[in-house]
Amino acid sequence: MEIFACSASKDFACKVIETLNSINRPDEAPVHLGDLQVTQFSDGEFQPCFTESVRGATVFIIQSTFPPADNLMELLLTVDAAKRASADKVIAVIPYFGWARQDRKDRPRVAIGAKLAANLLTAAGVDRIMTCDLHADQIQGFFDIPVDHIYASKVFLPCIKSLKLPNLAIAAPDMGGAKRANSYAKSLAGDRQDCGVIICHKTRERANVVSEIKSIGDVEGRNIILVDDMIDTAGTLCKAADVLKEKGAASVRACGTHGILSGNAVRNIHESALEEVYITDTVPHPELAGDSKIKTVSMAPVFASIIDKVYNYEPISPDFVF
């Protein structure tokens, strides 16, 4: 096993390495983060280079592909370098799969960016993909190679249970998140039979701008947790929280897997009715360490477990919580 990290996910990779070395496998040597150097040219072009042999190795390359597009390009070039260096297998570990919102033609004359990104990764020579909370589950079908689709519910459900909130309800900030909210509610129903589901219906003026949100379900007196796959500008999330609070919710919190937090997202969250927001570290935000409202939960142990089991040809289904 050889593990390398591209520029955007080095901290995440270090956490993965730490967890892998804590797994007791006496017959295996400790895992280290391989040395990957990226040469920068004056015009902005760059070239990744492995400074150690990967011949015959199973190579895991960790990189989230959030913008800028250089993050995706660096991953593609690193995969190509590994294949040309005679790696046996190349597995792309993509905690956050960028461009996933472009999963269909929702209007004429637009690209399907998620499919294009899948084609590029396959063409570069990736043998397997590991990723977390895709914007749409069917994106797995864009690949003709195995995809391990990991769910952040593995870390969020224990987090929600630890809050011990009475009269709990799970809410989806839009209609597309209804399935996710229902899955969370079912998983929590074993501990809390009163766990309800609330759906928010939104209309948009344009991309990233929400005009109106209406809620469907019993809100009065509930401690509500909004669940979503990503938080970009936080406009939908904050407006949904404000609407739910106005309708009589006792408290509103949120769990969003990928904290993109672009533009004024952090300020929006702090000025909203949200009491707490939980995100994962699939997109790095070191500046949020110690933030009073936005808290980070690590997905690295989950990815480390999947990496270890895939490498050792062990079943991974017990690691999946939907």
Side-chain angles (χ1 to χ4, degrees), residues 6-183:
C6 296
S7 303
S9 297
K10 286 191 175 179
D11 289 342
F12 187 88
C14 289
K15 296 177 190 175
V16 170
I17 295 288
E18 184 178 349
T19 304
L20 281 171
N21 285 326
S22 69
I23 298 173
N24 185 22
R25 290 188 181 275
D27 56 328
E28 293 179 1
V31 183
H32 72 282
L33 186 61
D35 187 19
L36 178 68
Q37 294 184 356
V38 180
T39 302
Q40 295 282 347
F41 299 101
S42 61
D43 64 348
E45 187 179 325
F46 52 87
Q47 182 182 52
C49 174
F50 295 99
T51 62
E52 55 191 86
S53 176
V54 296
R55 184 178 296 275
T58 299
V59 176
F60 293 85
I61 303 171
I62 302 176
Q63 172 82 325
S64 285
T65 57
F66 52 87
D70 283 0
N71 289 330
L72 174 59
M73 192 64 189
E74 185 180 346
L75 175 60
L76 294 170
L77 290 171
T78 305
V79 169
D80 184 69
K83 296 299 285 188
R84 295 179 187 277
S86 300
D88 180 44
K89 292 180 181 177
V90 178
I91 300 174
V93 180
I94 310 174
Y96 169 60
F97 183 76
W99 315 98
R101 282 175 284 187
Q102 301 178 43
D103 62 335
R104 67 197 184 282
K105 284 189 70 174
D106 55 353
R107 53 198 172 102
R109 299 176 295 279
V110 296
I112 304 180
K115 175 58 177 170
L116 177 59
N119 287 346
L120 290 169
L121 287 162
T122 303
V126 170
D127 296 294
R128 190 183 195 100
I129 297 287
M130 290 183 188
T131 190
C132 176
D133 273 8
L134 289 166
H135 189 61
D137 289 347
Q138 60 266 28
I139 291 174
Q140 297 173 74
F142 291 176
F143 294 91
D144 293 323
I145 54 177
V147 177
D148 297 316
H149 187 203
I150 302 166
Y151 293 88
S153 52
K154 181 80 173 179
V155 296
F156 281 148
L157 285 172
C159 182
I160 293 170
K161 290 177 182 178
S162 70
L163 296 173
K164 298 181 180 179
L165 297 171
N167 207 15
L168 179 66
I170 302 297
D174 53 37
M175 298 298 287
K179 179 182 175 183
R180 180 180 294 104
N182 190 52
S183 297

Side-chain angles (χ1 to χ4, degrees), residues 270-296:
H270 279 276
E271 293 177 354
S272 73
L274 288 163
E275 293 194 8
E276 292 177 309
V277 174
Y278 294 89
I279 60 173
T280 73
D281 52 356
T282 56
V283 178
H285 285 288
E287 75 281 3
L288 293 177
D291 190 279
S292 60
K293 189 176 276 193
I294 305 172
K295 305 178 189 303
T296 303

